[in-house]
Amino acid sequence: MKNSTKLEKLKKYLDENNISYKCRRKHRNGHCDLYVIAAKVSVKIEGDDDEIFYRRHKCGYHPVFIRKSDTPKFIIEKVYNTIYDSMVRQQRLFEKQQRKKEALKNEKRNR
C-alpha cells in the first residue's frame, strides 16, 4: 500500500473523530504533510528530507513518520497515542501554571 493512501486513511479517521488538522498543498523540503492543530502533532511521509523535518519539529511539536513498513491501523494508533500524550502534557502544564498563580496569590495575601 502506498504511503499517500495511508495518509488518506488517517485523514478519514481524523474526520470521523472530529479532530481538526491542516494539510500542505505544496510539499516543501522539511515540512509536514499533515498537522493536527490542537495537539501540535506533525505527520510526514518518509522521504529524503526526514532529518531536516525531525530537526525542525522535535522541539515544541510531536513528529510522526509514515513509513512503508507501517500498516494503516498502526499509523492511526501511533497518531492517536501521540495526540493523547500531547494533550496529557498540555494539561499538566496548565495545572502547573494554575498552581503557580495560586501560590502567587497566597503569597501576596500573606504580606
Side-chain angles (χ1 to χ4, degrees), residues 16-84:
E16 289 172 357
N17 292 294
N18 294 325
I19 300 172
S20 59
Y21 63 91
K22 284 198 255 183
C23 292
R24 296 266 180 210
R25 290 189 185 133
K26 291 183 179 179
H27 183 71
R28 292 173 30 199
N29 197 20
H31 288 275
C32 60
D33 296 308
L34 183 134
Y35 178 70
V36 180
I37 299 165
K40 295 183 177 181
V41 175
S42 301
V43 180
K44 174 157 179 15
I45 296 174
E46 73 176 341
D48 296 334
D49 58 344
D50 289 349
E51 183 66 32
I52 298 168
F53 168 77
Y54 186 75
R55 276 189 274 127
R56 285 185 181 169
H57 292 85
K58 69 180 178 180
C59 298
Y61 299 99
H62 306 278
V64 175
F65 288 95
I66 296 177
R67 295 187 172 87
K68 288 181 182 178
S69 61
D70 296 343
T71 64
K73 200 172 193 179
F74 178 72
I75 291 168
I76 290 170
E77 182 180 347
K78 185 165 50 169
V79 170
Y80 172 79
N81 289 338
T82 306
I83 290 171
Y84 179 80

Side-chain angles (χ1 to χ4, degrees), residues 87-99:
M87 294 302 219
V88 167
R89 286 181 187 160
Q90 288 178 10
Q91 183 64 29
R92 286 183 189 152
L93 178 63
F94 176 75
E95 290 171 355
K96 183 178 178 181
Q97 290 171 345
Q98 293 301 316
R99 285 193 302 270

